[in-house]
Amino acid sequence: MSQESQTLPPEITPDDILQRAAIDKSTRLPVLFFFTSGVAWLLIATVLGLLASLSLVAPDLLPSQYLNAGRLQPAFVNALVYGWGFQAGIGVMVWIMARLCRTELRNPVTLVVAGHFWNIGVTVGVLGILAGSGNLHMKLLEFPSFAWPILLVAYTLLIVWMVIMYSARRKGMIYISQWYVLAACFTWPWIYLVANSLLNVLKKSGVAGPAIASWYANNVLFLWMVPVGLASAYFIIPKITNRSIHSYSLSTLAFWALIVLAPWAGAQELIGGPLPKWLPAVAGTAQILLLVPMFAVVLNHYKTVRGSHHLVEASPSLRFTFFGGIGYACTCVIAAVLSSMNLSRYTFLSYAADSVQMTGYYAFFTMTMFGAIYFIVPRITGCEWLSGARIRRHFWLSAYSCIFMCVVLLVAGFSHGSAIDNWSTNYESAMLFSNGYIVGRVLMWILLLYANVSFALHLGAMVLNRGRKAGRPTLIHEHAPTAVSAPAVTLEPSKA
Amino acid sequence: MSSQSSSQTPQNIDYSRTANVARMHAAVARESGELASQSVPISLWAVVSIAVVSICAGSFFSGALADHKQKPPVGAGASGGMSDEELHQPANWILAGKSKYSQCAACHGANGEGQPGQFPPLKASEFVIHGEKRLVATLLHGISGPLTVDGKPYNGVMPKLGGAASMPDKDLAQLLSYVRNEWGNKGSVIYEDQIKALKKDLGDRPGPYTEVELRAIPQDAPAPLSEWVARLEKPAAGAAAAPVAAPPPK
């Protein structure tokens, strides 16, 4: 923020500012809708996650048949991914697309209608899982089979407007974030349609079922969440540091490597299973090769941020994005390591899979989305976040509990998985091996619940226009020496 | 209002017209512009690291596929991946004995022909291919002193292999089944329960047999019938490659 000097950077004219303000105003309704309903789902997912981990520690605590671990766990993961992840992601996609295309959003209402459909689909799906009519065992496709057309239609309605915005863009320049947003527009409908038409229309079942589901689940992470998260990172890092992205070539390499390699990965989860062996072999190879785009992105972002690490301390958006970048790297590394034949023997069907999920969905994607929300919401609501201390608390609670959860689940996965691998151990005692870790996970969910409730209240205040009116950014460390400069240009004289 | 505002900005723009937008968007105003990427080429060590990752992926791929082509060696471990019934199929049972023959091969030779004057042959040997009882007795207690096999004299020591400290009954049974069906030998298969029964039958001995004592056991004396014969007959049909413990050919 120190780089946001007292005068405007040369290429920004007040007209630009007004144009941006008009774009932000046009996206206000749908983006806030997706953020708020996404955060509502985040709270639901957090509660479900807490209950799911609690039900493994104290099964008798939740007497209802709807609240057993077998239903709570998929309900939690689906609420987290479709309720929170997708809605937060769509909000970010819409806003970034509008900004970078320099076009106002013409049909905010259509987007909100599509958003309602999406919410109906997710609600029906999560309730269906809890009621026991879901397709359990199909990772991320657990929603009862009538829910998928609703989600697919809603998403299609959304991307139509994003593509229209893209084709009506002004100025020739196409930014890296736009590549990723466009990719995310098309990848998800593709994988979702393929997976559902194979499973629900053509009724492929038996061995093919889990293979399709693990391909789909892996691609939700690598073909949807990673593009959306990276779109946000590629937007926020140059904005906050006021530096250009280090290398165009690295960005191109990372983008195409991701798009080409990711669809091959996924089935390595079933290594050793009753599948043709080439399938996990190819998938595992692709999963290891996915380290290449990760490495290119991390290198590129690191080189861009280098020298302005004080901004990572001060700026909420950059700090969450930075953490998300580390989460992305960890996800890729853990996923690649676990696809190794020798290790997967000890992690197959164990908590280690939950660890990859938490790293990908939470440490990477959720944290990156928090960063984007901290950036976008002040611009579309016109007020500033209430308190830097509160953001700091949100960051540290989220960071500690998701790091702890990922590590603990990985360790628990090895002890759980090697107990399962030992034929003389029965399943019940294999579960007992990892019980201590699972108690730790419950405690971390309680911390996360606190963090997320506090974040939701903070966001609620912003939406209700109760934020700070002062035109200064809310920083995590108000007294950071380099970050105290007043806002660059005051368009609002009465404040001075 | 507008005059004060415009005095602070580089260009004189009438913000009163857009006061609402301007008030709302202090955050927008302090934002930097959208910057184009620099075009720094990919550094050499980044290319090298990518190559290293690709090589790792390649070796994983060939490893995973090689594993695909490799079938578990039949009978390599005593029960490597087989059910008990499969293992007791004569063909598998005999094959399982092959890996135990290595300690016999030191004296009797890999071809089972032995050493003239020292170690008698196992191939077509009168002590091997006839009844089970005499052969098992030899293995359980050993022989010492001069011995005539198929008319040729030998003088060596055959240590005992059966018993608590040495070979388990199951391994011994597989070994003997192998020996009785290799090098053109055609004998019955011996199962572990038969060894156990014969052990009881023969009783304890202070030392190894001599030739006279051994020949006291009739040449065709069989072992009691194995329960495996009945058990394997139910699924029947399958791999009955070698004759199951039936009265040996005379």
Side-chain angles (χ1 to χ4, degrees):
Chain A
M1 263 146 238
S2 59
Q3 271 88 347
E4 293 180 10
S5 48
Q6 294 298 319
T7 53
L8 288 169
E11 77 268 32
I12 297 187
T13 63
D15 271 342
D16 280 340
I17 297 176
L18 289 179
Q19 190 196 33
R20 279 183 194 161
I23 293 170
D24 287 356
K25 206 176 164 191
S26 74
T27 58
R28 179 188 151 95
L29 179 66
V31 171
L32 277 187
F33 171 83
F34 283 116
F35 284 172
T36 45
S37 59
V39 168
W41 276 109
L42 177 65
L43 292 184
I44 295 173
T46 313
V47 172
L48 286 173
L50 175 60
L51 290 182
S53 54
L54 200 59
S55 67
L56 283 182
V57 177
D60 302 330
L61 211 64
L62 307 164
S64 162
Q65 55 158 327
Y66 303 112
L67 298 178
N68 59 45
R71 292 181 190 180
L72 281 168
Q73 181 68 20
F76 145 65
V77 175
N78 282 279
L80 184 72
V81 170
Y82 295 106
W84 150 250
F86 268 80
Q87 300 207 74
I90 290 166
V92 171
M93 284 161 78
V94 169
W95 187 80
I96 287 183
M97 202 57 160
R99 268 299 194 86
L100 292 181
C101 294
R102 293 164 199 275
T103 51
E104 290 177 28
L105 188 60
R106 299 281 152 72
N107 288 68
V109 179
T110 327
L111 292 185
V112 174
V113 171
H116 278 105
F117 273 112
W118 183 272
N119 274 294
I120 290 170
V122 177
T123 312
V124 168
V126 170
L127 290 180
I129 291 176
L130 289 179
S133 57
N135 303 322
L136 300 184
H137 323 302
M138 298 293 158
K139 240 173 133 188
L140 282 188
L141 295 166
E142 285 110 338
F143 282 168
S145 43
F146 50 81
W148 72 271
I150 309 178
L151 293 182
L152 193 61
V153 168
Y155 195 85
T156 314
L157 276 178
L158 290 166
I159 63 167
V160 164
W161 292 105
M162 265 184 273
V163 174
I164 289 178
M165 266 199 285
Y166 180 75
S167 54
R169 70 188 180 276
R170 275 184 233 167
K171 211 179 178 184
M173 178 87 193
I174 298 170
Y175 298 91
I176 301 166
S177 299
Q178 282 171 295
W179 309 345
Y180 280 108
V181 171
L182 264 191
C185 282
F186 294 109
T187 50
W188 187 74
W190 169 53
I191 56 172
Y192 199 54
L193 187 63
V194 168
N196 277 298
S197 40
L198 286 174
L199 286 178
N200 292 324
V201 182
L202 300 176
K203 306 278 183 203
K204 298 276 181 210
S205 55
V207 173
I212 295 165
S214 55
W215 172 78
Y216 170 76
N218 206 64
N219 278 333
V220 167
L221 181 56
F222 283 96
L223 272 185
W224 194 84
M225 287 189 176
V226 168
V228 174
L230 292 185
S232 159
Y234 271 111
F235 185 87
I236 282 174
I237 290 174
K239 274 286 179 192
I240 303 232
T241 59
N242 200 15
R243 287 149 156 250
S244 309
I245 288 293
H246 171 69
S247 164
Y248 183 83
S249 340
L250 270 179
S251 316
T252 323
L253 169 78
F255 178 80
W256 286 111
L258 178 75
I259 298 299
V260 171
L261 291 171
W264 291 91
Q268 77 273 7
E269 265 193 349
L270 301 171
I271 204 160
L275 285 174
K277 275 277 170 60
W278 62 266
L279 197 59
V282 169
T285 308
Q287 188 67 63
I288 293 171
L289 283 174
L290 277 173
L291 289 173
V292 170
M294 178 279 284
F295 172 70
V297 164
V298 169
L299 180 68
N300 212 357
H301 287 181
Y302 173 75
K303 291 256 187 180
T304 310
V305 175
R306 195 173 56 174
S308 13
H309 284 290
H310 58 281
L311 292 176
V312 178
E313 283 208 11
S315 154
S317 323
L318 194 57
R319 191 190 283 195
F320 275 94
T321 306
F322 190 80
F323 187 93
I326 298 172
Y328 173 44
C330 293
T331 312
C332 291
V333 171
I334 297 176
V337 168
L338 289 191
S339 50
S340 136
M341 189 90 64
N342 300 330
L343 272 182
S344 66
R345 182 176 163 197
Y346 300 110
T347 55
F348 190 52
L349 297 177
S350 74
Y351 291 114
D354 289 1
S355 172
V356 182
Q357 269 188 351
M358 275 309 281
T359 322
Y361 300 161
Y362 215 98
F364 159 58
F365 189 71
T366 299
M367 294 298 265
T368 310
M369 288 300 106
F370 283 148
I373 289 176
Y374 278 122
F375 187 85
I376 295 171
V377 170
R379 284 159 177 78
I380 56 181
T381 57
C383 49
E384 302 290 343
W385 294 98
L386 282 170
S387 137
R390 205 159 170 180
I391 301 177
R392 187 164 64 230
R393 208 158 54 227
H394 179 214
F395 177 80
W396 284 117
L397 282 176
S398 309
Y400 274 126
S401 37
C402 78
I403 291 174
F404 185 85
M405 217 181 296
C406 297
V407 172
V408 152
L409 284 176
L410 203 57
V411 178
F414 274 100
S415 90
H416 182 205
S418 39
I420 295 176
D421 185 55
N422 181 357
W423 59 270
S424 63
T425 313
N426 63 26
Y427 193 76
E428 194 184 351
S429 35
M431 292 296 282
L432 284 177
F433 272 114
S434 38
N435 230 358
Y437 305 108
I438 302 312
V439 175
R441 180 168 71 164
V442 174
L443 298 178
M444 291 305 116
W445 272 118
I446 294 171
L447 287 188
L448 270 189
L449 183 63
Y450 175 74
N452 288 342
V453 167
S454 144
F455 171 68
L457 292 176
H458 208 172
L459 180 69
M462 295 290 283
V463 173
L464 298 174
N465 212 6
R466 297 285 155 81
R468 262 186 332 113
K469 293 292 185 284
R472 299 176 56 237
T474 306
L475 301 177
I476 293 184
H477 289 291
E478 290 291 347
H479 304 296
T482 48
V484 285
S485 64
V489 170
T490 347
L491 292 181
E492 217 273 280
S494 61
K495 184 178 53 58
Chain B
M1 180 182 183
S2 62
S3 62
Q4 200 182 343
S5 159
S6 41
S7 69
Q8 288 178 352
T9 50
Q11 289 164 29
N12 285 332
I13 291 221
D14 180 14
Y15 282 110
S16 63
R17 187 166 54 83
T18 53
N20 181 33
V21 173
R23 188 191 60 76
M24 273 181 62
H25 292 83
V28 171
R30 66 168 180 260
E31 200 179 300
S32 63
E34 278 87 33
L35 301 165
S37 290
Q38 301 171 41
S39 49
V40 180
I42 301 173
S43 61
L44 181 64
W45 69 270
V47 174
V48 170
S49 321
I50 290 171
V52 169
V53 171
S54 311
I55 290 169
C56 291
S59 75
F60 167 84
F61 182 67
S62 52
L65 274 192
D67 177 72
H68 166 48
K69 294 196 176 124
Q70 190 179 12
K71 283 188 181 138
V74 177
S79 57
M82 271 191 258
S83 73
D84 247 352
E85 273 76 13
E86 278 179 292
L87 180 64
H88 282 80
Q89 290 293 342
N92 293 337
W93 192 250
I94 288 167
L95 204 51
K98 186 172 183 174
S99 61
K100 280 121 200 157
Y101 182 69
S102 53
Q103 56 178 305
C104 317
C107 299
H108 294 287
N111 49 11
E113 283 168 358
Q115 293 283 330
Q118 279 185 296
F119 309 112
L122 303 176
K123 185 174 171 182
S125 161
E126 56 174 306
F127 283 86
V128 173
I129 57 176
H130 296 297
E132 294 94 358
K133 191 171 177 182
R134 199 190 260 183
L135 178 63
V136 172
T138 317
L139 271 289
L140 284 177
H141 297 291
I143 322 169
S144 71
L147 179 70
T148 311
V149 179
D150 299 328
K152 288 180 188 135
Y154 296 90
N155 197 350
V157 175
M158 166 82 195
K160 63 176 200 172
L161 282 180
S166 44
M167 205 178 247
D169 292 354
K170 191 172 170 184
D171 293 11
L172 187 58
Q174 291 171 343
L175 171 62
L176 291 183
S177 305
Y178 170 74
V179 168
R180 282 163 72 82
N181 288 283
E182 185 71 349
W183 317 296
N185 289 356
K186 291 267 185 283
S188 60
V189 169
I190 300 178
Y191 289 118
E192 65 267 41
D193 52 347
Q194 292 173 299
I195 302 263
K196 202 176 168 191
L198 283 173
K199 222 182 222 174
K200 219 180 211 173
D201 190 5
L202 291 163
D204 245 337
R205 280 182 63 87
Y209 285 101
T210 60
E211 181 172 13
V212 180
E213 286 170 320
L214 200 58
R215 285 193 188 276
I217 301 170
Q219 190 179 48
D220 289 339
L225 202 64
S226 168
E227 61 169 58
W228 280 102
V229 178
R231 265 177 83 172
L232 291 176
E233 240 149 32
K234 269 176 254 167
V244 177
K250 298 207 170 174

